[in-house]
Structures are given as structure tokens and as C-alpha cells.
Amino acid sequence: MAIMKTTFLLSLNFLLLLTELISLEAIWSNSSAGNSTMGCIEMEREALLKFKEGLDDPSRRLSSWVGKDCCNWLGVGCSNRTGNIIKLDLKRPFFCDQISSNTSTVCWKPLSGVLSPSLLELKYLNYLDLSYNDFQGIPIPNFIGSLNMLSYLNFSYASFAGMIPPQLGNLSNLLYLDLSAFDEHLPLPLPTPSTSNLNWLSGLSSLQYLNLNGVNLSEATTDWLQTVNLLPSLLELHLSNCELNYLPQSFSSLNFTSLSVLELSYNDFNSSSVPQWMFNITSLTNLKLSPCNLSGSIPKIAKGKLCNLRTLDLSYNHISGEITEFFQALSECSNSSLEELNLGWNQLIGNIPHSLGYVKSLRKLQLFSNAFSGSIPSSIQNLSRLEILDLELNMMNGTIPELIGQLSELRVLHLVENYWQGIMTETHFLNLTKLNGFSLSSYRNLLVFNVTRDWIPPFSLQYVNILDCQLNPTFPTWLRTQKELTEIHLVNTTISDTIPNWLWNLSSQLEVLDLSQNKLMGNLPKSLNFSSLDSVHLDFNHLVGPLPLWPSVTRFSLRSNLLSGPIPIRIGLEMSQLTVLDLSDNLLNGSIPSSINGLTDLGFLLLSNNHLSGNIHNHWKSMQNLLYIDLSKNNLFGDIPSSMCSLPSLSWLQLSNNNLSGNLSFCLKFVSSISLSTLDLGENRLSGTIPKWIGERLSSLTILRLRGNMLFGRIPKQLCGMTNIHVLDLAHNNFSGSIPSCLGSLAGYKNFNGTIFPEITEHMDLVVKGRQYEYYNQISNVSLMDFSKNSLSGEIPTELTNLTLLNSLNLSWNQFTGKIPENIGALHQLETLDLSNNHLSGHIPPSMSSMTFLSHLNLSYNNLSGEIPSSNQFQTFNDPSIYVGNPQLYGPPPLPTIFSIPSDRSAEHKDGEDRFEKLWFYLSIALGFIVGFWAVCGSLLIKKSWRNAYFRFAGKMKDRLLVVIAVNMAHLQRKIQAEKH
């Protein structure tokens, strides 16, 4: 970006010099320089006043436009020779002016309104700049094309829209044209101008700078290059985010042989390759094609080509192959100019070549998010100007060379998410005096970061990010010297220590502290000494004690520690700025404090897996920003409050594994959030039926888990209205009737994208492969349907075989009849299939042999018959229990001729067994009492010496206990009297 700005400024200075040559005696005057000797021409003064009348000027920037001499007005420039107005610069300033010696300032607001055609009276106007104002989507007036003397026209970011008038092609003297409406750094989109073709550009034969960033060129996408090729003097071409989708792969004759800057970023070129003709423009200094949906390899560079290139950005594409030839070609330049190279987020492979060291002018090298392997070449020590080295998210391995410590200009070093091994010591940082950003991690935790306890680093970091590495067990004391830190991330670094007190006083600028996944011990301080700390992540440690209240923190995550005691009652008052609160998996008890409704900015609330009890209060209305609630795995009881269900932004509601009761419909009828994607009410005591309107009111659901309640009735076909669902768990209830066949059309089981919340750790218990697993952040990848242990009947709908992404299907312990669907083999992604304990008949479909992902199968206790398939996947199913209880099945594996009856199938057998067990239980109690009583008391009655010894012992113990009580009471009375005095 710095090179782009430099190139732009150089070009702009050159263009302004040309403009001066057009008007040799011209000077630019403004409000502080009124040195025009000719004065203002009255007709032109009147034209400016008419122009002013059409403008809205909320900041009164044009308040100086009074009096006779318009050459002294703000933004107006006159010719010193003729007095004609030749410049009008009303660009919105980007700064605030101080009004007086006070601290009061005024910030300039944009001009708006309409452009008056009175500007046509300015016959000699050659410079017009209205950039960064707000003309609220009006089109550029046609009359601008009649300002024949214009050499500089800048309407960038001025919120013009509509069609660009082709009359602009009449401005034959134009050198600089900027109509851009896109900047990746601007927070809000701007109105977008457009044009049906670019033929009008052919009249601008002198044009040297063209910027149409953000202009809609979708209708001109096929011939844009041919038109631009008619501009032989062009130095800079900016066409980013123009909705271009065609990039010519070959071009016979290039006229813009002086082109220095070519920017085509943020267009979608439909997986085109980077064309060779771009790499044949020897004058190029800046080439930016990020992101453009480009594929293929980097074009070959002929010897001597691109030696002037300073910036190359091909990031965020799909470019593949190696980069050895690319660097080899650059190394053949007698003096390569390349300063910035960004190839990040592509599919490049291979080693980083040794020839990298010949590109000695490099300042920024960004190769992140590729598949580079090997180690960092030793030639990197030759890059003495290198400021940024970003190799994160690759497959780099081996040791990190100590030579990296010689790169004295290095400011940013990113080495995270690779496969580093070996040891990193102080030598790696020996001369890195300018380093302000450092990140490091190793996937297999094989890298040791080993510095001495008294090491004083030569740098002053602003952020440090060390993950999945082996640090010393003691807390790193070298951090104590880093007084400018704003972020500390030491995650999974084997630290086993208490958090030192100096850390809380380290930096007044510290904003983020992440020490998760270590073995940190001890208590947290009750208060902080500075107010800048915004985000605290101390998850997965061994911290103990009560929950502290830190008022400045907005993101507070203490998941999986040993915190105990109640949640402080004043948390809603003293931490009112919270947006994320995650206290899951601790030892917290008591009730959820009602003051929590004071957390009006809270978006994520996670209190699962604690010992919280009591009712859930009904005061949630003020928490309108809540997206995510997880109160699962506690001892909460009572009804689900209606004010919680009616939260307008709620996307995730998880209340499973509690003792909540009430009617399911009562809670669901209050749901108002159309964005609710996850509803987990499993393992409670909810009753009632699934309401028929659920598919309409909760159509956005992707996860519905009602497992383990007391629900009954039929499964409503209206569930099919939840088309995006991919986890449907209704197991362990008392549903009856048949499975709606329309469930086979649910799109969520064919193509789903689960909701992902990067702010927190998602978790959910799901039964897969016959066991319960707790999923963390992979829930969006699970596709599950579980109707087991109900009273469902009828045949299994063949439509279920359309759910091509289904991972787990469990229909066991029901009363299904008929055959297994013949086309069940179409479920190619299925890993778990449990149809056991039903009344299914017929043969095992041969199509099941093609289910190559199937690893858990249970067909036991049905009425299946025929030969068990033996090909493909069935060769792995050798456990006879898979098929037991089907007397008419035969074939390998050998099946037992006598089998036990499953407990849920024979209540009579179970009752008899229970009665027998109870009889033995009561007999054992009686025998135990008789033996224990007579073994102790009987011996005391029979043996006198034992009896006397026992009572003497009991008497002594009584006397000692009375003495201890008396002494402690006397000590307590003296302490109370001393405190009174």
C-alpha cells in the first residue's frame, strides 16, 4: 500500500507539472494567498455565486465566498496573467480545525446539493475537484463534458450515481480522471455510478491517470481492455470492484507501453489464469489482482521483464504450482526493484527457493495461507531491508534459522500454524530491535521456545501471539519488559504457574489477554489497576476461587476452570459493558442473579456445566442483543421464561440437561427471532406435543434437539418447513404414528452450512455410533437424525434415502414394520445406521454394500431374513451382535442360535428379574444388620474386660472434647472484647 501511495504521488506531481505547463503563468490561490494582480472577473464571480446557491454547506466552508475578489475565495485559483478562474478545489478536508486556544474543534461536513451549469461560464477552468463530498446519488451532469479546458477532474467518493455521461469523452485535454466509488478501507458502501460501455474514453487521448474503482462496468466487461488500449499515454489504470468478469488471456498489440500501475482487484474473473501479456509490460511498477478468483500458475517471466516491478499482489486467489521459476527470473534482473510481494491465500506448494535472497530490495514478503513446505532458506539473511515476513498457515517444517535474528529492519514476524520443530532462543531475536509484532505456533507442539529467565529482549512488542509451543513451566518474565503491549496470546504453551501480579500492571494499553489452554493456578485479582483491558480469555486452566468483577472487560471467558461460589449478584451493575460472558464448566453454584438483565450489550451468555440451581428469572426483555444462550448441564428447574424465548436477535438457545418442566408449546409460541438456528431443550421434563406451526414460526432452525423429555403425539409434517435443519433429535420420548415422508426433502441434509460463532466455543452432546460425544465447534459438520426409543410405527419412508449428507440415522427401539428401503445405499455419507429392536422384515438390501463410510451398524432384533451381504463394507462387520435376534438371517459371521431378550422388549422378564433382585437385596440388609450388631455389641456383653476398656475410652474422648470447646470459647470472647475496645 505504501508503494501504491508513493507511485500515485509521483504520478500526481507529474500531472500537476504538465498542468502548469499548460498555464505557464498560473498560480493556485486560496483563502490565505490572494496574490492575483488582475483581480476577479465579474462574470466568473457571478457564476461561482450561482454555483454556491445550488450547494448545501452545513459546515459553512464557503463562508469566505463574499466580496469582489473571488480569487481569494476558499478553493478558487486564478491565472496571474489573465485573472480567469482556472482551478476549483472543493475537496472535503479530512481533518478537524481547532477553533481557538480551547480544545473545541470543528470537523468539516461534506457538501451536497446540485451542480449548477453556471460552471460553464468558467471558460478557462482546467482543474475541478469535488471529491469526498456527498451528492446523494445524483448523476454527474452532462454539462461537465463541455468544460473543454479541463486537464484534472476528480469526483471520487462524492456519492454520484447513475450513468456516467459519455460527454466526458469531449474533454480532450484531460490528463487525470478519477470517478472512483470504492475504497476497501471505507466502512460504508457508496452510491455506484455505471456505464454501458467505455467507448467515450477514446476521445481522451492525452489521459495519463484513470480511476474507475467501484464503477459498475458489468455491461462493458467484454471490451474494456480494447477501449483502454486506445489510451497510449496511460500511466495508471485502476478498475477495482467494477464487476468485471472477463480477463482476456491474450492480446496482440499493447499500446499503453508506459503503464506503471495496473489495479484490477475485487473482480471475479471466473477462474481465469493470470494472462501472460500482463507480465510483458516492462514499465509496470505496481500490479494488483486481489482477490479476483484467478487460478493456474504464475506466468513465466522472460529475462529482463518486470525488473521495474515494485509491488505485486496476487493474494486471495486459487493460484497453484511452485514459485521457484518466478524468483529465479527476478534474480536475473541486474537490480530487481521488487519491494512488496503478496502471494497469500493461494494454493502454492513446494519449498521457498534459495533465489529469494537475490531480491534484496524486498520490504514485505507475505506468503501466508498456502501449502509451502520445507524450511526457511538461509539466503533470507540477504534481505536486509525486510520489514514484514508472513509465513503463517503453511506446512513449513524443520527448524527456524537463527539467521532471522539478523534482519534488523524487521517489524512483523508471523510464523503461526506451521510444523516447526527444534528450539528458538534469544539468538533468533538478536538484532530485531524494531520488531513490534510476533506470532508463532507449531501444529504438533514440537517447537520449544527456550529463553533464559533473565532475558531482556531488544524489541518492544505491541502484540505477541505464541500458540501450541513449549514454553518454560514458569510464567515468561521477559514479558515484564514489554511496556507497549496491547495484545498477549499465550495459548497451549505448557505454562504451569500462577499468574504473576506484575502482569496486571504491565501496560496501560493492554486490551487483549489470552492465556487459555495452560495449567495456570491460583486466584484472580478482585480488581484491575487499569481500565484498557477489553478481552480476557483464561479458558481451560486450573484457576480457583470466586469470580472477579472487572468493569472494563467486555469479553470475559473463563471456561473449564475450578472457579467456585455464586455468580456475584452485582455482575450486571459492575460489568455492564459485557458482550461475551463464558463461565461454562466450572463449579459455580447458586442461582443466576437477576442483575444480569443489566447487561444490555451482552450477545453471548454461556453458563453450562456448573451447579447452578433455581428458577430461570423472567427478566430478559432488556437484553435485546442476546444472540447465544447456553445454560445446559445445571440443576435449573421450573418453566422456560417467555421473555427469554421472545428475544428478537436470539440465534442459539441451549437449555438441555436440566430439570425444566412445562408445556413445550408455551415456550415456543413466544419465539420471535426469525434467526433462531439452534434449539436444544433435550434431557429435561418438558411435556406436550410438537406444535404444528413450528415449521412456519421456526423455519430458520438448523438444529432441533428435544431428546429425553416427556413429549408425545405425532411428529407433525410441518417440521418439513424447517428446510435447513441438519440435526433433528427426538429420541427418548413417546412419539407415535409414522415418520412424515416429506422429511426426505429437507435441504439441510443435502447441502448445509451451520452457524459459526467465532466469538465463543460451541458445544453439544450428540449420540453417534451408539455413544454420547461432546462436540466442540464441529457441530456445523454433523448431519444427524435420531428418532430412537419412541413408539413410532409404519414403514421407513423411502424418501429418507434422499438425504445424501446424512451422517447418522437412528430409528431403533420403535415399532417399524416393512422392509429396509432398497435404495438406502444412496446415503453415501452415512457413518451410523441403527435400525435395531423393530419389526422389520425382508432381506438386507445389497445397496448397503456401497456405503463405504458406514462404521457403526445395528440391525439386531428384527425379523430380517436371507443371506447377510459379504462384499465391500460388510466385510468389516464381523460382530454377530449386529445381526442377533433375526432367526432367519444366515451367513458369515456365524450367528448365535440362543440369544438373550433385550430388556426393553420383555417387561415381564424384567419384572421377574427385578423381584428376584429385590428379595436378595432385603435379605442381605437383614443378614448384615444381624451380623454387624452381634459382632460388636455381642462381644461387649460377653467379655467384661473389653466392655470396661470401651467405656473408659469413650469417657476420655468426651473430656477432651469439652476442654477443646471451652478453650476456643474463651479465646473467641477475648477477641470480641478486644475488637470492642
Side-chain angles (χ1 to χ4, degrees):
M1 184 60 71
I3 294 302
M4 277 187 65
K5 291 180 178 177
T6 304
T7 307
F8 167 75
L9 292 173
L10 290 173
S11 301
L12 180 57
N13 289 334
F14 175 67
L15 294 173
L16 291 178
L17 178 60
L18 291 177
T19 305
E20 283 195 30
L21 293 176
I22 294 174
S23 303
L24 291 173
E25 298 183 20
I27 63 165
W28 311 133
S29 59
N30 51 39
S31 58
S32 61
N35 53 357
S36 172
T37 58
M38 296 298 296
C40 179
I41 296 175
E42 181 63 21
M43 183 177 63
E44 295 184 344
R45 176 181 170 275
E46 292 296 328
L48 285 181
L49 291 176
K50 288 182 181 179
F51 177 71
K52 178 185 176 183
E53 288 176 4
L55 299 177
D56 294 323
D57 182 14
S59 295
R60 303 190 73 245
R61 286 164 52 196
L62 305 184
S63 59
S64 66
W65 285 26
V66 293
K68 294 292 184 181
D69 191 0
C70 62
C71 293
N72 283 327
W73 293 356
L74 178 72
V76 178
C78 297
S79 168
N80 193 42
R81 183 169 59 86
T82 65
N84 293 107
I85 295 174
I86 56 177
K87 178 179 181 180
L88 189 57
D89 185 357
L90 298 180
K91 175 181 179 180
R92 177 191 175 191
F94 280 100
F95 52 83
C96 298
D97 288 338
Q98 190 167 338
I99 295 177
S100 63
S101 58
N102 299 326
T103 56
S104 300
T105 58
V106 57
C107 296
W108 300 110
K109 296 180 180 179
L111 299 173
S112 59
V114 296
L115 304 186
S116 170
S118 63
L119 285 181
L120 292 174
E121 299 297 331
L122 309 181
K123 305 291 186 183
Y124 296 92
L125 188 69
N126 60 35
Y127 187 108
L128 178 58
D129 191 343
L130 299 177
S131 59
Y132 294 98
N133 285 294
D134 183 8
F135 289 99
Q136 301 177 352
I138 66 171
I140 298 172
N142 294 346
F143 72 80
I144 298 296
S146 299
L147 298 173
N148 298 322
M149 297 298 292
L150 278 182
S151 61
Y152 182 101
L153 178 60
N154 191 345
F155 283 177
S156 62
Y157 314 109
S159 295
F160 287 107
M163 298 297 291
I164 296 173
Q167 289 86 348
L168 293 185
N170 298 329
L171 303 177
S172 58
N173 292 314
L174 207 59
L175 303 175
Y176 185 105
L177 176 60
D178 191 345
L179 305 179
S180 55
F182 168 75
D183 186 337
E184 58 185 321
H185 303 295
L186 288 179
L188 296 175
L190 296 170
T192 304
S194 60
T195 182
S196 57
N197 62 70
L198 292 174
N199 294 336
W200 52 273
L201 284 176
S202 60
L204 309 180
S205 56
S206 301
L207 198 64
Q208 298 182 5
Y209 180 96
L210 176 61
N211 192 335
L212 299 181
N213 286 346
V215 175
N216 188 341
L217 301 181
S218 57
E219 295 184 27
T221 188
T222 56
D223 60 354
W224 66 270
L225 184 58
Q226 290 90 331
T227 307
V228 171
N229 194 44
L230 300 176
L231 305 175
S233 302
L234 200 61
L235 298 176
E236 294 196 24
L237 177 60
H238 302 266
L239 297 179
S240 289
N241 197 33
C242 291
E243 299 190 37
L244 297 172
N245 53 47
Y246 176 65
L247 184 61
Q249 293 299 295
S250 60
F251 208 66
S252 56
S253 176
L254 291 175
N255 287 333
F256 42 81
T257 54
S258 299
L259 193 66
S260 174
V261 175
L262 177 58
E263 182 183 356
L264 300 175
S265 296
Y266 296 97
N267 289 294
D268 185 352
F269 290 123
N270 295 320
S271 299
S272 299
S273 300
V274 181
Q276 183 68 52
W277 59 263
M278 286 186 181
F279 279 45
N280 291 335
I281 304 175
T282 57
S283 57
L284 269 185
T285 63
N286 189 314
L287 177 58
K288 190 168 184 181
L289 299 168
S290 164
C292 289
N293 193 14
L294 296 170
S295 59
S297 58
I298 300 176
K300 292 183 178 181
I301 305 175
K303 186 174 182 179
K305 301 287 186 180
L306 294 189
C307 289
N308 294 315
L309 194 66
R310 294 183 179 178
T311 299
L312 177 61
D313 188 352
L314 301 178
S315 59
Y316 297 96
N317 285 293
H318 309 288
I319 298 172
S320 57
E322 299 190 6
I323 58 174
T324 304
E325 289 187 8
F326 172 75
F327 275 106
Q328 186 62 40
L330 289 178
S331 67
E332 292 177 358
C333 293
S334 57
N335 187 17
S336 175
S337 301
L338 192 64
E339 296 182 7
E340 298 184 16
L341 176 62
N342 191 345
L343 301 177
W345 208 280
N346 279 289
Q347 299 167 12
L348 299 166
I349 60 173
N351 293 347
I352 299 175
H354 184 80
S355 52
L356 166 69
Y358 294 107
V359 190
K360 297 182 179 180
S361 54
L362 265 181
R363 293 189 303 108
K364 297 181 181 179
L365 178 60
Q366 295 169 285
L367 304 178
F368 60 90
S369 298
N370 280 285
F372 290 116
S373 54
S375 56
I376 300 173
S378 58
S379 62
I380 199 168
Q381 64 180 318
N382 298 330
L383 306 183
S384 58
R385 301 178 186 177
L386 197 63
E387 299 175 12
I388 295 177
L389 177 59
D390 190 348
L391 302 178
E392 68 177 84
L393 270 168
N394 277 285
M395 303 177 69
M396 306 285 291
N397 49 37
T399 59
I400 300 170
E402 293 182 345
L403 296 169
I404 214 165
Q406 303 300 320
L407 303 176
S408 58
E409 297 296 319
L410 205 60
R411 294 184 291 106
V412 174
L413 179 59
H414 288 172
L415 302 174
V416 294
E417 300 193 63
N418 282 282
Y419 292 90
W420 308 115
Q421 51 188 299
I423 301 176
M424 233 180 155
T425 66
E426 297 96 324
T427 310
H428 288 83
F429 304 94
L430 193 60
N431 291 322
L432 303 187
T433 57
K434 297 182 180 180
L435 194 68
N436 57 43
F438 175 58
S439 61
L440 173 71
S441 72
S442 177
Y443 281 122
R444 296 173 182 167
N445 210 262
L446 297 176
L447 182 66
V448 178
F449 189 88
N450 186 21
V451 295
T452 58
R453 189 170 177 81
D454 57 351
W455 179 51
I456 300 177
F459 47 71
S460 182
L461 296 177
Q462 293 178 4
Y463 66 89
V464 57
N465 188 356
I466 303 178
L467 299 83
D468 305 322
C469 295
Q470 300 178 42
L471 271 64
N472 291 324
T474 56
F475 203 89
T477 55
W478 62 268
L479 285 175
R480 195 170 188 173
T481 65
Q482 305 298 296
K483 302 298 185 182
E484 298 180 7
L485 278 170
T486 59
E487 295 188 22
I488 299 176
H489 301 264
L490 301 177
V491 179
N492 192 22
T493 52
T494 67
I495 300 175
S496 179
D497 198 359
T498 56
I499 301 176
N501 291 330
W502 54 258
L503 180 66
W504 309 112
N505 302 309
L506 180 62
S507 169
S508 60
Q509 301 169 351
L510 190 63
E511 298 173 2
V512 178
L513 178 64
D514 188 351
L515 304 177
S516 54
Q517 298 181 52
N518 285 290
K519 296 178 182 178
L520 296 171
M521 302 171 287
N523 292 59
L524 295 171
K526 293 182 179 180
S527 60
L528 298 178
N529 295 329
F530 53 91
S531 59
S532 61
L533 192 57
D534 175 78
S535 184
V536 176
H537 300 270
L538 300 174
D539 316 65
F540 300 98
N541 281 289
H542 299 156
L543 299 168
V544 298
L547 178 68
L549 297 179
W550 295 344
S552 66
V553 175
T554 64
R555 300 164 60 90
F556 202 22
S557 186
L558 292 166
R559 171 184 287 268
S560 296
N561 279 283
L562 300 171
L563 300 175
S564 57
I567 300 173
I569 9 180
R570 295 181 56 82
I571 188 171
L573 302 173
E574 298 194 27
M575 298 189 73
S576 58
Q577 300 180 61
L578 277 175
T579 60
V580 176
L581 178 62
D582 187 353
L583 305 177
S584 300
D585 198 13
N586 278 283
L587 304 174
L588 300 172
N589 55 35
S591 60
I592 300 173
S594 58
S595 73
I596 207 165
N597 65 1
L599 303 176
T600 54
D601 294 327
L602 195 67
F604 299 86
L605 176 63
L606 297 91
L607 305 177
S608 67
N609 201 17
N610 280 286
H611 303 299
L612 301 174
S613 58
N615 286 288
I616 304 175
H617 64 81
N618 197 17
H619 306 292
W620 297 82
K621 287 184 179 179
S622 60
M623 306 174 73
Q624 299 290 295
N625 295 310
L626 262 180
L627 295 171
Y628 192 110
I629 299 176
D630 184 0
L631 307 181
S632 61
K633 295 186 178 181
N634 281 290
N635 300 314
L636 302 170
F637 53 81
D639 294 336
I640 301 173
S642 58
S643 60
M644 173 187 285
C645 296
S646 60
L647 290 169
S649 303
L650 197 61
S651 181
W652 187 293
L653 180 59
Q654 190 169 2
L655 304 176
S656 55
N657 295 85
N658 282 287
N659 292 306
L660 300 171
S661 57
N663 192 288
L664 176 67
S665 300
F666 180 77
C667 169
L668 297 185
K669 73 179 181 180
F670 290 101
V671 174
S672 62
S673 174
I674 59 172
S675 60
L676 186 66
S677 64
T678 297
L679 179 63
D680 182 3
L681 305 178
E683 311 295 346
N684 281 290
R685 295 188 294 112
L686 299 172
S687 58
T689 61
I690 298 177
K692 291 183 178 179
W693 41 257
I694 189 172
E696 179 181 350
R697 192 168 295 184
L698 303 179
S699 59
S700 299
L701 276 184
T702 60
I703 298 175
L704 176 61
R705 188 172 179 271
L706 301 176
R707 180 188 192 90
N709 281 284
M710 297 183 291
L711 303 172
F712 56 88
R714 300 178 70 90
I715 298 175
K717 63 181 180 180
Q718 287 81 0
L719 272 180
C720 304
M722 300 185 297
T723 55
N724 295 316
I725 201 163
H726 63 87
V727 171
L728 179 58
D729 190 348
L730 306 180
H732 291 250
N733 281 285
N734 194 29
F735 291 114
S736 57
S738 59
I739 297 176
S741 59
C742 62
L743 291 180
S745 63
L746 293 175
Y749 287 103
K750 302 174 185 178
N751 181 20
F752 65 88
N753 291 303
T755 306
I756 297 175
F757 298 97
E759 298 90 346
I760 47 91
T761 301
E762 300 173 11
H763 88 95
M764 186 174 289
D765 291 339
L766 297 174
V767 176
V768 178
K769 299 182 181 179
R771 298 177 60 187
Q772 182 168 289
Y773 295 91
E774 189 164 16
Y775 286 80
Y776 286 94
N777 291 342
Q778 306 101 0
I779 307 166
S780 60
N781 298 324
V782 177
S783 180
L784 174 147
M785 186 178 286
D786 192 344
F787 296 155
S788 61
K789 292 206 174 180
N790 281 286
S791 300
L792 298 171
S793 58
E795 295 189 358
I796 298 173
T798 57
E799 288 83 357
L800 293 186
T801 62
N802 297 328
L803 305 179
T804 52
L805 291 183
L806 195 62
N807 303 137
S808 178
L809 177 61
N810 191 343
L811 304 179
S812 63
W813 293 102
N814 281 285
Q815 299 171 22
F816 290 116
T817 57
K819 298 180 179 181
I820 299 173
E822 288 292 332
N823 195 34
I824 196 168
L827 301 177
H828 295 299
Q829 302 294 321
L830 204 63
E831 300 175 18
T832 298
L833 177 61
D834 192 344
L835 304 178
S836 63
N837 293 282
N838 282 287
H839 304 292
L840 299 172
S841 58
H843 64 279
I844 299 174
S847 65
M848 290 181 63
S849 299
S850 63
M851 302 168 72
T852 54
F853 284 95
L854 193 63
S855 58
H856 180 86
L857 175 65
N858 194 348
L859 303 176
S860 61
Y861 299 103
N862 281 285
N863 299 315
L864 299 173
S865 59
E867 185 177 5
I868 299 171
S870 58
S871 60
N872 298 335
Q873 198 68 6
F874 274 87
Q875 295 178 6
T876 64
F877 298 134
N878 298 320
D879 185 355
S881 65
I882 294 174
Y883 312 103
V884 70
N886 293 280
Q888 299 183 51
L889 274 181
Y890 62 89
L895 303 180
T897 55
I898 300 176
F899 48 87
S900 61
I901 301 173
S903 57
D904 284 19
R905 273 301 185 86
S906 180
E908 219 178 284
H909 178 81
K910 180 179 179 181
D911 290 343
E913 190 177 272
D914 286 349
R915 284 194 296 269
F916 185 71
E917 287 181 357
K918 286 179 181 178
L919 179 61
W920 274 111
F921 176 69
Y922 292 131
L923 284 174
S924 63
I925 290 176
L927 288 172
F929 175 77
I930 293 170
V931 172
F933 178 82
W934 286 109
V936 177
C937 299
S939 61
L940 294 178
L941 288 171
I942 295 171
K943 192 130 178 113
K944 183 178 181 179
S945 60
W946 288 11
R947 185 166 66 248
N948 291 336
Y950 171 77
F951 285 113
R952 280 197 302 271
F953 172 76
K956 288 181 180 179
M957 291 303 298
K958 181 193 72 170
D959 293 340
R960 287 183 182 179
L961 183 61
L962 290 174
V963 170
V964 170
I965 292 173
V967 170
N968 281 304
M969 288 296 294
H971 177 73
L972 181 61
Q973 287 176 354
R974 284 196 301 270
K975 186 176 181 181
I976 292 171
Q977 290 174 357
E979 287 179 352
K980 286 181 179 180
H981 295 293

